[in-house]
Amino acid sequence: MKAYRYESKPMDVKGKVNWNDEEAEVWHHLMTRQLSCIEGKACKEYLDGLEMLNLPIDQVPQIPDINRVLRDVTGWSLAPVPALIDFDRFFALLANRQFPVATFLRTRKDMDYLQEPDYFHEIFGHCAMLTDPAFAAFTELYGKLGVNASKVERIYLARLYWFTVEFGLTRSGEEFSIYGGGILSSPAETVYAYSDERAFREPLDIIEVMRTPYRIDILQPIYFYLEDMSDLYAFSKIDLMACVRKAMSLGLHKPLYPMKIAQ
């Protein structure tokens, strides 16, 4: 089991974390920088969700406040977890419409990149999209599939999650918009995914996505886009586990990056 450098902070009896002044300053910096960065690039569903959440800028938001909004809109809630949880618990939480959130915030030295998904990534990157019915339904379905999947099947499912929930795009005409939390919480990834000519952007084909390796420590060389967020609803009408088995039979594509930490 991998040991992380960060540990989640405890919560009081009301479910609140005692964030200190330094953490409030880090949050302020991350919020103001990323709000500016995603302007004109984030999808409408994300921006609508962000407005609903009304996240504070000068202090770190509290889970109970976010949960009140999510429960009312889509029935989801946030589940505080340690920095590291196993896949069994991860899938079980999603299947029950609970999104795992580690209650630690990166320090100033990790302001630009942090391999562990911290509080800013989870709250700013993902929570707004959980107010969207299509996104919320897909994430719940993903959790339910993962609960009963084998270890190998979960690896193929993970690629679908990676290229949608974490690094997904939508396209309207020739314009791309971002909905993936891994992009929306990263200034470098936001600019790269949205407009860099070196990045490949392909229409989302489920089996092709499941066959595409990725690395967590680089800007993604390829992104997959939906024509509309409502396309996620269509996934519930497809036998995704049959797609997994098909992808497994076809094998992986050649990575678009130097071999190092393939997933």
Side-chain angles (χ1 to χ4, degrees):
M1 181 177 291
K2 180 178 179 178
Y4 284 153
R5 293 183 293 111
Y6 289 90
E7 291 185 3
S8 288
K9 299 188 70 168
M11 306 175 75
D12 64 22
V13 294
K14 294 183 179 180
K16 295 188 175 183
V17 174
N18 182 25
W19 300 104
N20 60 39
D21 290 343
E22 171 67 14
E23 289 162 329
E25 291 180 10
V26 168
W27 177 267
H28 174 87
H29 175 82
L30 292 170
M31 278 286 289
T32 53
R33 180 177 69 173
Q34 201 57 17
L35 282 171
S36 175
C37 187
I38 67 171
E39 187 174 351
K41 304 178 184 70
C43 70
K44 181 180 185 300
E45 292 82 358
Y46 175 84
L47 295 174
D48 288 347
L50 206 59
E51 184 176 355
M52 292 182 208
L53 293 174
N54 193 27
L55 299 175
I57 293 178
D58 293 327
Q59 61 184 1
V60 186
Q62 296 288 351
I63 287 177
D65 297 328
I66 296 170
N67 280 346
R68 277 191 286 273
V69 177
L70 293 181
R71 288 192 182 110
D72 183 57
V73 178
T74 57
W76 274 75
S77 63
L78 304 181
V81 298
L84 181 66
I85 60 173
D86 60 35
F87 283 115
D88 286 339
R89 187 177 180 195
F90 175 73
F91 285 114
L93 286 171
L94 296 185
N96 286 284
R97 290 188 288 183
Q98 294 180 287
F99 198 84
V101 174
T103 53
F104 71 87
L105 193 61
R106 71 192 71 182
T107 61
R108 289 183 183 276
K109 67 179 181 179
D110 292 325
M111 201 75 82
D112 291 329
Y113 175 76
L114 182 67
Q115 186 165 309
E116 301 97 308
D118 75 333
Y119 197 71
F120 179 76
H121 167 81
E122 305 290 24
I123 301 301
F124 187 86
H126 289 301
C127 285
M129 285 307 303
L130 286 171
T131 66
D132 177 70
F135 182 91
F138 168 68
T139 309
E140 180 183 358
L141 171 64
Y142 175 82
K144 289 178 176 178
L145 293 174
V147 166
N148 297 312
S150 69
K151 182 177 180 180
V152 175
E153 289 170 338
R154 285 176 173 181
I155 294 173
Y156 282 79
L157 282 173
R159 297 190 186 101
L160 180 59
Y161 186 92
W162 184 261
F163 288 113
T164 53
V165 175
E166 292 291 353
F167 289 91
L169 301 175
T170 62
R171 189 182 77 166
S172 177
E174 295 302 316
E175 278 293 310
F176 289 98
S177 296
I178 302 165
Y179 72 90
I183 306 176
L184 290 165
S185 59
S186 165
E189 197 90 39
T190 295
V191 174
Y192 188 81
Y194 183 76
S195 60
D196 199 294
E197 295 181 353
R198 292 170 294 177
F200 294 98
R201 300 169 189 86
E202 301 288 343
L204 191 147
D205 178 285
I206 292 173
I207 293 175
E208 291 301 294
V209 165
M210 290 179 173
R211 299 178 63 203
T212 302
Y214 64 83
R215 272 175 55 176
I216 66 173
D217 60 339
I218 59 173
L219 295 172
Q220 299 305 301
I222 186 168
Y223 304 90
F224 295 91
Y225 61 84
L226 304 169
E227 294 295 340
D228 189 89
M229 284 304 301
S230 63
D231 291 347
L232 288 177
Y233 272 131
F235 290 176
S236 65
K237 308 300 181 183
I238 298 172
D239 186 345
L240 290 178
M241 294 312 297
C243 294
V244 168
R245 292 188 290 272
K246 180 66 173 179
M248 290 171 64
S249 71
L250 293 172
L252 295 181
H253 290 302
K254 182 179 179 181
L256 297 172
Y257 52 79
M259 292 297 291
K260 182 181 178 184
I261 311 176
Q263 296 281 327

